[in-house]
């Protein structure tokens, strides 16, 4: 008899195996999962609806962004590299601070966005800006270098009104002085880590970074420190709610990146490093020409970050757009009766259509090559916007999406329709109403005064 070797699934190395986690998902494709090596990651712990309440009521810990694409950029021209190729101003970029960096093509459409931390005069740490930064260095004349350290470090996200208390309890140090987008080194479980005040959930949030070899010790310490504050472990399924509800449009989920001549060839030659793939589009807007799928910083609500105090790629296009902007970003609330009608259609042979089926299981994962986008129409059926990131919010009890919409229709309360269903199949118009953006508009991370948060009685 032939001896068949056993095959095993690899568990993500960034969280301990949890036998109470009843759902796992296989990581396939994309920048993240290529480093995980096709392993499995927790999909739900206590149920995605329960987990989604955590950033409103207490705190969550999430490990699903590991390993984050991370690079160190060094050299005399490192700052010039960022200034030449991003919309941000660097006139007052101090050591120990960070920026949400937005990089565009010549047409002012977003190529990539991520975070840049200034570690020293000529040294920067970036997240999610590779492979674009690497490509710019390989094709430009800059006295700088880039080192890809993806997989060597971990990143844990903690979000919610008790997140600062959880981290302080874990490190036994007062961190109230960390400003929004600031970071500070400390010790957790005897391991050196960096606490970074940033997050995508909209409410108070932090990240804890460190060396991958220390990740499980730090994770266990954070989890134990959070028990008194009702901490929840966040799975992949709940995390997809974060960006839409928190008002943080995300590449791969709310809009595709602009392809730059030579970029995909460069990435293809280093596929094992980046794991990116061309986009596959779904939704009623999948038939639009690719350039019409793209977004500028203005169209996704980031116009306040565009500074014209320096020359950068896309400056001319964005200056013209800023003079007469066409679209801005809003949240859409979808009509309850129309949503119930979609559920009802699944039980009718006459109305049955695979593209009309409804599921909360939308595959959102950074690095995914599938992008869902729907047309938004006015009463005359004119195309006035593009909606993406559709989800049900357990906290607000609403189905919402983000929408880049014509400014004439951007007033809160304006009624529009979302065209639901794949191109060439049965489709349905779902009524929707323009709502606030960002949807979470209270106690936002950038506005929270941490002096109002109790300080722990720390005994050294």
């Amino acid at each position: 008899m032939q001896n068949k070797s056993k095959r095993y699934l690899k568990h993500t190395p960034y969280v301990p195996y949890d036998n109470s986690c009843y759902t796992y998902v296989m990581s396939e494709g994309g920048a993240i999962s290529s480093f995980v090596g096709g392993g499995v990651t927790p999909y739900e712990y206590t149920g995605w609806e329960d987990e989604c309440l955590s950033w409103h009521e207490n705190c969550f810990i999430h490990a699903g962004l590991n390993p984050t694409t991370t690079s160190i950029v060094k050299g005399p021209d490192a700052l010039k590299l960022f200034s030449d190729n991003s919309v941000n101003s660097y006139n007052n970029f101090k050591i120990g601070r960070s920026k949400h960096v937005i990089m565009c093509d010549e047409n002012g459409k977003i190529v990539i966005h991520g975070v840049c931390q200034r570690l020293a005069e000529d040294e920067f740490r970036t997240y999610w800006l590779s492979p674009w930064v690497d490509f710019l260095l390989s094709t430009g004349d800059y006295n700088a270098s880039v080192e890809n350290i993806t997989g060597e470090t971990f990143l844990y996200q903690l979000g919610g009104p008790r997140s600062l208390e959880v981290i302080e309890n874990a490190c036994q140090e007062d961190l109230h002085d960390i400003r929004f987008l600031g970071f500070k080194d400390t010790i957790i479980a005897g391991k050196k880590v960096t606490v970074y005040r940033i997050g995508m959930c909209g409410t108070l949030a932090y990240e804890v970074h460190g060396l991958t070899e220390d990740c499980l010790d730090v994770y266990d310490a954070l989890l134990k420190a959070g028990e008194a504050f009702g901490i929840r472990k966040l799975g992949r399924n709940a995390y997809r709610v974060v960006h839409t509800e928190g008002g943080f449009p995300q590449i791969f989920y709310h809009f595709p990146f602009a392809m730059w001549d030579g970029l995909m060839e460069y990435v293809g030659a280093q596929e094992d490093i980046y794991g990116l793939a061309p986009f596959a589009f779904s939704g009623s807007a999948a038939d639009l020409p690719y350039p019409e799928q793209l977004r500028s910083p203005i169209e996704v609500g980031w116009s306040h970050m565009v500074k014209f105090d320096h020359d950068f790629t896309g400056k001319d296009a964005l200056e013209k757009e800023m003079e007469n902007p066409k679209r801005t970003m809003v949240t859409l609330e979808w009509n309850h009766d129309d949503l119930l009608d979609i559920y009802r259609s699944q039980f009718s042979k006459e109305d049955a259509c695979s593209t009309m089926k409804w599921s909360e299981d939308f595959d959102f994962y950074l690095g995914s090559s599938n992008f869902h986008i729907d047309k938004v129409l006015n009463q005359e059926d004119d195309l006035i916007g593009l909606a993406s990131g559709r989800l049900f919010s357990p906290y607000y009890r609403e189905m919402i999406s983000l929408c880049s919409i014509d400014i004439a229709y951007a007033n809160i309360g304006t009624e529009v329709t979302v065209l639901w269903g794949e191109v060439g199949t049965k489709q349905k118009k779902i009524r929707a109403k323009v709502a606030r953006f960002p949807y979470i508009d209270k106690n936002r991370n950038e506005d929270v005064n941490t002096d109002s948060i109790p300080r722990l009685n720390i005994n050294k």
Side-chain angles (χ1 to χ4, degrees):
M1 180 180 294
Q2 186 178 4
N3 182 23
K4 295 182 179 180
S5 61
K6 294 182 179 180
R7 300 182 64 188
Y8 297 91
L9 294 178
K10 178 182 177 182
H11 186 276
T12 172
Y14 294 93
V15 293
Y17 175 73
D18 185 346
N19 58 14
S20 69
C21 176
Y22 56 85
T23 313
Y24 279 81
V25 63
M26 185 71 179
S27 297
E28 295 179 339
I32 293 179
S33 56
S34 61
F35 293 108
V36 174
V40 292
T41 57
Y43 192 64
E44 290 185 353
Y45 287 98
T46 56
W48 73 273
E49 288 187 314
D50 176 68
E51 294 166 29
C52 284
L53 301 180
S54 59
W55 57 86
H56 294 278
E57 299 176 350
N58 37 62
C59 178
F60 70 75
I61 182 170
H62 180 243
L65 291 191
N66 286 298
T68 288
T69 305
T70 309
S71 295
I72 300 294
V73 182
K74 294 181 180 180
D77 289 343
L79 186 62
K80 186 178 187 302
L81 167 73
F82 294 113
S83 181
D84 287 352
N85 296 283
S86 61
V87 306
N88 311 76
S89 174
Y90 294 88
N91 287 339
N92 191 31
F93 193 21
K94 297 179 180 179
I95 296 172
R97 298 290 293 165
S98 67
K99 285 185 180 292
H100 175 199
V101 173
I102 306 164
M103 296 182 167
C104 298
D105 65 7
E106 292 285 359
N107 298 315
K109 302 301 183 182
I110 300 169
V111 175
I112 204 164
H113 70 105
V115 168
C116 177
Q117 297 176 334
R118 190 166 197 174
L119 305 180
E121 187 66 24
D122 294 335
E123 183 175 356
F124 304 82
R125 181 167 52 216
T126 71
Y127 301 94
W128 303 113
L129 292 180
S130 290
W132 185 238
V133 167
D134 311 52
F135 175 70
L136 293 172
L137 278 171
S138 72
T139 56
D141 184 19
Y142 295 101
N143 183 9
S145 63
V146 59
E147 178 187 4
N148 192 311
I149 60 170
T150 305
E152 298 178 20
T153 61
F154 70 84
L155 178 163
Y156 294 136
Q157 296 173 298
L158 292 95
R162 313 304 298 270
S163 54
L164 175 58
E165 295 167 277
V166 171
I167 297 172
E168 287 186 338
N169 194 28
C171 67
Q172 288 295 294
E173 182 178 352
D174 191 322
L175 303 176
H176 277 59
D177 60 339
I178 302 179
R179 297 162 52 200
F180 180 63
L181 294 183
F183 50 96
K184 183 176 182 179
D185 291 339
T186 186
I187 301 293
I188 295 179
K191 312 298 182 181
K192 182 179 178 180
V193 298
T194 299
V195 176
Y196 182 25
R197 185 173 168 185
I198 193 173
M200 302 296 109
C201 63
T203 57
L204 184 68
Y206 295 82
E207 292 178 353
V208 176
H209 298 228
L211 296 177
T212 299
E213 61 203 54
D214 299 332
C215 67
L216 294 184
D217 290 335
V218 175
Y219 183 89
D220 288 340
L222 287 167
L223 202 59
K224 183 177 180 180
E227 289 176 357
F229 303 98
I231 196 169
R232 291 286 187 272
K233 290 181 284 188
L234 203 70
R236 170 176 166 176
N237 196 18
Y239 185 72
R240 65 189 167 79
V241 179
V242 166
H243 280 271
T244 298
E245 200 181 79
F248 289 97
Q250 182 57 270
I251 206 166
F252 301 119
Y253 188 43
H254 294 104
F255 57 92
F257 60 79
M259 299 285 190
W260 188 269
D261 290 341
L263 173 61
M264 294 312 292
E265 290 80 2
Y266 174 82
V267 170
Q270 306 184 55
E271 184 176 357
D272 290 340
I273 298 178
Y274 301 115
L276 297 179
F279 280 104
F281 292 93
S282 62
S284 63
D287 61 345
L288 292 179
Y290 179 70
E292 295 182 26
Q293 307 269 15
L294 305 177
R295 316 289 175 86
S296 72
I298 298 166
E299 292 173 309
V300 298
W302 295 340
S303 58
H304 62 286
M305 287 187 274
V306 182
K307 305 298 181 184
F308 298 112
D309 59 358
H310 64 295
D311 290 327
F312 60 89
T313 303
K315 180 179 180 179
D316 291 345
L318 289 173
E319 281 183 323
K320 292 178 182 177
E321 184 178 355
M322 196 76 83
E323 291 174 0
N324 186 27
K326 179 185 178 183
R327 286 180 175 169
T328 188
M329 182 63 80
V330 299
T331 308
L332 295 182
E333 293 177 345
W334 294 29
N335 181 272
H336 298 183
D337 290 335
D338 290 349
L339 295 172
L340 291 171
D341 191 46
I342 289 182
Y343 278 109
R344 181 204 58 78
S345 72
Q346 298 179 70
F347 299 94
S348 170
K349 292 182 179 179
E350 290 75 17
D351 290 343
C353 177
S354 61
T355 59
M356 292 291 285
K357 289 182 178 178
W358 201 263
S359 172
E360 292 308 325
D361 180 17
F362 245 51
D363 187 22
F364 164 43
Y365 213 45
L366 296 176
S368 172
S369 59
N370 184 58
F371 177 65
H372 185 95
I373 182 171
D374 290 313
K375 293 178 179 178
V376 178
L377 313 173
N378 62 12
Q379 292 182 350
E380 290 74 37
D381 288 343
D382 299 318
L383 179 65
I384 59 170
L386 299 172
S388 50
R390 185 274 307 160
L391 55 86
F392 175 72
S393 166
Y395 183 81
Y396 293 106
R397 313 307 297 177
E398 294 284 353
M399 189 75 76
I400 60 175
S401 64
L402 297 188
C403 177
S404 295
I405 198 168
D406 290 356
I407 289 177
Y409 298 89
N411 292 330
I412 293 178
T414 301
E415 295 183 354
V416 298
T417 58
V418 179
L419 185 61
W420 178 260
E422 298 300 323
V423 175
T425 68
K426 183 174 181 178
Q427 296 177 319
K428 177 179 175 60
K429 292 179 182 177
I430 301 176
R431 289 170 289 174
K433 182 173 62 177
V434 173
R436 62 189 179 275
F437 173 82
Y439 205 64
I440 293 180
D441 59 348
K442 297 178 181 179
N443 300 318
R444 293 191 62 83
N445 195 2
E446 58 268 34
D447 299 326
V448 171
N449 182 352
T450 56
D451 287 339
S452 63
I453 298 174
R455 296 177 187 266
L456 293 180
N457 182 17
I458 298 172
N459 297 314
K460 290 292 186 180

